[in-house]
């Protein structure tokens, strides 16, 4: 009976794909079974002749029923056990299951484990949640694919054109790279965690999936770090109006170095205090805040920077000096600042201090914002910082005209050579006999191209 319930929950876990995978449930069950064996062994060692005499009238031996641990009890006693930990991982609900010790042995558990622990297999809402999570997975897969393609193109554009190489675009390139890593790590994580439903797979690749989760957490942290760098850089330009190249290396350290420290600390804490499964389930809040804390802090700082940037821009735009030649510059900065609101991940702070209760409706809303909408964040960044950037558009147009002109000249020279060079000779003579001013203007136009 107990085994049937275990199988039901395993199947539900695999289908939903948004709750702990089978390997983590097996790992938790194995750990609880080991703890139960130690408890029963200690109980047997501490048994005294007086206790054996007391229990001679009737007793129920301690046992592990594949889900819960039941200590030895006398006839007529009712024993309670907490809901198994893997049930709590699935439902987020804590409860109790009871057994009576009778002369025939242990009674069946009551209430039914699925009901006592907050999961009703006959409830149609489970099917609705399964459909919702599958839709969510489809949305964030499309979002990350779209972001990955557009960010790769945008990064190639900024790297290819020499005139676009400046501190501002260098920071944009690092931000694009962090978004690319975030999208890639998400696909790698899904491929590793859900690559097989065979339970024999769980023990063979534990180290690999842990390294995958470490890489995934690093990509998440570095992405938020570079969003913070974007906010700090814009704030520095407005407040100081001068940016030292030395500060750029501090930004590099903040964007790529700081996440390394936090992720290494988190991995060490998981190995020592919460070494369960593939490290994709966070049951210890203090360990999880090693990752969650810096993310919330970066978003909070970005929000403060945004408010301060908006205040500075409004003050400068309303001043008489703001109506000078710098007006258009500040207007562009104001527009860019307003567009930074969704890019800074401000929505994350709304759910940062909410309890992560899988049974509550807020979890589904939070997952929608962080996965479905957040997956398109890289696409929005690529569009705003590259494809809609006037400087980038002018450079692309200039290169296109230059390429088109050189192609036309090659075709013209090829045609002239096939005609014996007469056309080329005539054109050279026309250029020589032409007045100096038009020739100078033609050279100027060619230099512009």
């Amino acid at each position: 009976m107990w085994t049937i319930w275990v199988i039901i929950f395993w199947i539900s876990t695999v289908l939903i794909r948004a709750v702990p995978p089978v390997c983590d449930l097996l790992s938790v069950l194995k750990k609880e079974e080991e703890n139960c064996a130690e408890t029963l062994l200690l109980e047997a060692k501490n048994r005294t002749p007086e206790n054996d005499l007391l229990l001679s009238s009737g007793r129920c031996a301690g046992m592990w029923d594949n889900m819960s641990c039941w200590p030895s009890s006398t006839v007529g006693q009712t024993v309670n056990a907490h809901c198994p930990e893997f049930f709590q991982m699935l439902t987020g609900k804590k409860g109790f299951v009871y057994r009576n010790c009778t002369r025939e042995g242990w009674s069946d558990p009551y209430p039914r484990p699925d009901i006592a622990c907050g999961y009703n297999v006959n409830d149609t809402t489970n099917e609705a949640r399964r459909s919702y999570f599958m839709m969510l997975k489809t949305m964030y897969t499309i979002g990350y694919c779209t972001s990955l393609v557009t960010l790769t193109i945008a990064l190639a554009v900024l790297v290819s054109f020499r005139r676009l190489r400046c501190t501002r675009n260098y920071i944009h390139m690092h931000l694009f790279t962090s978004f690319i890593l975030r999208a890639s790590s998400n696909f790698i994580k899904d491929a590793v965690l859900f690559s097989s439903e065979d339970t024999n797979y769980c023990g063979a690749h534990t180290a690999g999936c842990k390294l995958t989760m470490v890489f995934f957490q690093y990509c998440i942290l570095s992405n938020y770090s570079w969003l913070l760098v974007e906010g700090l850089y814009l704030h520095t330009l407005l407040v100081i109006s001068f940016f030292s190249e030395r500060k750029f290396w501090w930004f590099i350290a903040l964007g790529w170095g700081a996440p390394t420290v936090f992720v290494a600390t988190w991995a060490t804490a998981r190995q020592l205090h919460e070494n369960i499964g593939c490290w994709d389930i966070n049951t210890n809040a203090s360990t999880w805040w090693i990752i969650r804390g810096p993310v919330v802090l970066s978003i909070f700082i970005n929000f403060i920077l945004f408010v301060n940037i908006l205040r500075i821009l409004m003050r400068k735009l309303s001043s008489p000096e703001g109506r000078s030649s710098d007006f258009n510059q500040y207007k562009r900065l104001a527009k860019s600042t307003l567009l930074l609101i969704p890019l800074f991940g401000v929505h994350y702070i709304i759910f940062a201090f909410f309890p992560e209760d899988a049974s509550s409706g807020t979890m589904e809303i939070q997952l929608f914002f962080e996965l479905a909408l957040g997956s398109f964040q890289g696409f929005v960044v690529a569009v705003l910082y590259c494809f809609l950037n006037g400087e980038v558009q002018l450079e692309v147009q200039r290169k296109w005209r230059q390429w088109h002109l050189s192609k036309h000249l090659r075709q013209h020279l090829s045609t002239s050579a096939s005609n014996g060079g007469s056309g080329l000779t005539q054109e050279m003579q026309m250029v020589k006999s032409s007045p100096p001013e038009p020739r100078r203007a033609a050279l100027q136009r060619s230099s512009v191209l």
Side-chain angles (χ1 to χ4, degrees):
M1 184 67 180
W2 288 99
T3 307
I4 294 175
W5 289 114
V6 174
I7 294 174
I8 290 174
F9 275 94
W10 286 350
I11 295 174
S12 302
T13 299
V14 172
L15 292 175
I16 291 177
R17 299 285 189 174
V19 290
V22 175
C23 294
D24 292 301
L25 301 184
L26 284 173
S27 176
V28 170
L29 280 173
K30 184 178 180 180
K31 183 178 179 181
E32 289 191 334
E33 182 179 6
E34 292 174 353
N35 293 337
C36 181
E38 292 178 0
T39 301
L40 296 179
L41 181 61
L42 183 63
E43 179 185 279
K45 288 182 178 180
N46 294 334
R47 187 177 301 164
T48 62
E50 291 78 6
N51 291 335
D52 290 338
L53 183 63
L54 183 64
L55 296 173
S56 60
S57 58
R59 61 186 294 271
C60 298
M63 70 172 184
W64 164 255
D65 64 0
N66 295 325
M67 293 180 67
S68 300
C69 188
W70 303 94
S72 300
S73 302
T74 58
V75 173
Q77 188 176 8
T78 299
V79 181
N80 64 67
H82 288 280
C83 278
E85 186 176 346
F86 86 92
F87 267 110
Q88 298 178 30
M89 293 166 61
L90 289 167
T91 65
K93 181 181 178 181
K94 296 182 179 180
F96 290 92
V97 181
Y98 301 88
R99 280 181 184 267
N100 293 325
C101 180
T102 66
R103 294 188 178 276
E104 289 76 23
W106 289 107
S107 67
D108 291 334
Y110 65 92
R112 264 175 35 189
D114 59 325
I115 297 176
C117 302
Y119 190 92
N120 187 357
V121 294
N122 298 320
D123 191 354
T124 56
T125 57
N126 291 319
E127 184 65 31
R129 290 192 71 191
R130 183 182 298 110
S131 301
Y132 174 78
F133 287 131
M134 291 299 294
M135 179 198 69
L136 202 63
K137 187 176 187 296
T138 303
M139 287 184 65
Y140 80 68
T141 301
I142 295 173
Y144 279 125
C145 285
T146 305
S147 298
L148 195 59
V149 172
T150 53
L151 285 165
T152 303
I153 297 173
L155 184 61
V157 169
L158 293 183
V159 171
S160 301
F161 298 122
R162 186 174 299 176
R163 293 191 179 186
L164 297 177
R165 296 176 186 175
C166 59
T167 302
R168 181 184 71 256
N169 286 336
Y170 284 149
I171 294 177
H172 293 345
M173 282 188 257
H174 283 281
L175 180 63
F176 291 173
T177 304
S178 70
F179 271 110
I180 290 173
L181 288 175
R182 179 172 183 171
S184 302
S185 66
N186 189 81
F187 291 135
I188 294 172
K189 175 180 69 71
D190 284 355
V192 171
L193 293 182
F194 305 122
S195 59
S196 175
E197 296 176 9
D198 183 9
T199 56
N200 295 323
Y201 169 85
C202 300
H205 303 280
T206 304
C209 68
K210 289 178 181 177
L211 289 176
T212 300
M213 289 307 301
V214 170
F215 175 68
F216 174 74
Q217 298 296 351
Y218 175 78
C219 293
I220 295 293
L221 269 181
S222 61
N223 181 234
Y224 280 103
S225 296
W226 278 106
L227 287 172
L228 176 60
V229 169
E230 285 281 357
L232 290 171
Y233 176 72
L234 182 60
H235 187 267
T236 302
L237 290 181
L238 284 176
V239 174
I240 303 178
S241 300
F242 173 75
F243 185 82
S244 172
E245 292 297 328
R246 228 180 293 177
K247 294 180 180 178
F248 178 71
W249 294 107
W250 283 107
F251 284 163
I252 294 289
L254 174 61
W256 299 118
T260 305
V261 176
F262 289 108
V263 172
T265 305
W266 173 78
T268 304
R270 287 298 302 248
Q271 181 66 31
L272 296 176
H273 305 293
E274 198 183 354
N275 191 18
I276 300 174
C278 286
W279 295 359
D280 55 324
I281 306 300
N282 304 290
T283 56
N284 190 333
S286 58
T287 303
W288 175 229
W289 269 97
I290 299 175
I291 295 292
R292 195 178 184 187
V295 171
V296 175
L297 181 62
S298 66
I299 294 172
F300 183 69
I301 294 175
N302 259 346
F303 183 76
I304 294 176
L305 291 175
F306 165 74
V307 173
N308 195 41
I309 288 171
L310 193 61
R311 182 184 61 82
I312 294 172
L313 289 175
M314 291 178 63
R315 188 181 65 216
K316 290 189 175 184
L317 290 174
S318 61
S319 65
E321 294 82 2
R323 302 183 183 276
S324 61
S325 58
D326 292 336
F327 179 79
N328 290 331
Q329 178 184 359
Y330 288 126
K331 185 177 180 180
R332 286 201 308 271
L333 287 174
K335 183 179 179 181
S336 300
T337 304
L338 292 175
L339 292 173
L340 286 176
I341 297 176
L343 302 182
F344 281 4
V346 179
H347 64 273
Y348 184 88
I349 205 167
I350 300 175
F351 302 99
F353 300 99
F354 273 60
E356 294 187 342
D357 186 1
S359 62
S360 64
T362 58
M363 175 60 71
E364 297 180 1
I365 300 174
Q366 181 180 356
L367 288 174
F368 178 78
F369 273 91
E370 293 184 3
L371 294 178
L373 297 184
S375 62
F376 288 94
Q377 192 175 6
F379 168 75
V380 177
V381 168
V383 170
L384 294 179
Y385 284 129
C386 183
F387 302 127
L388 294 183
N389 188 300
E391 183 182 8
V392 175
Q393 291 177 351
L394 287 175
E395 183 64 16
V396 172
Q397 291 173 6
R398 187 186 73 84
K399 285 292 185 181
W400 170 257
R401 289 197 302 267
Q402 191 178 42
W403 175 82
H404 188 71
L405 179 61
S406 63
K407 180 182 177 182
H408 176 73
L409 288 176
R410 284 196 302 269
Q411 291 176 349
H412 189 69
L413 291 174
S414 175
T415 305
S416 300
S418 64
N419 293 332
S422 59
L424 179 60
T425 304
Q426 292 176 3
E427 187 171 341
M428 293 294 293
Q429 290 176 353
M430 289 176 60
V431 172
K432 289 181 180 179
S433 61
S434 61
E437 288 301 324
R439 288 171 57 190
R440 187 177 297 112
L443 288 174
Q444 291 176 353
R445 283 196 300 270
S446 63
S447 66
V448 171
L449 294 173

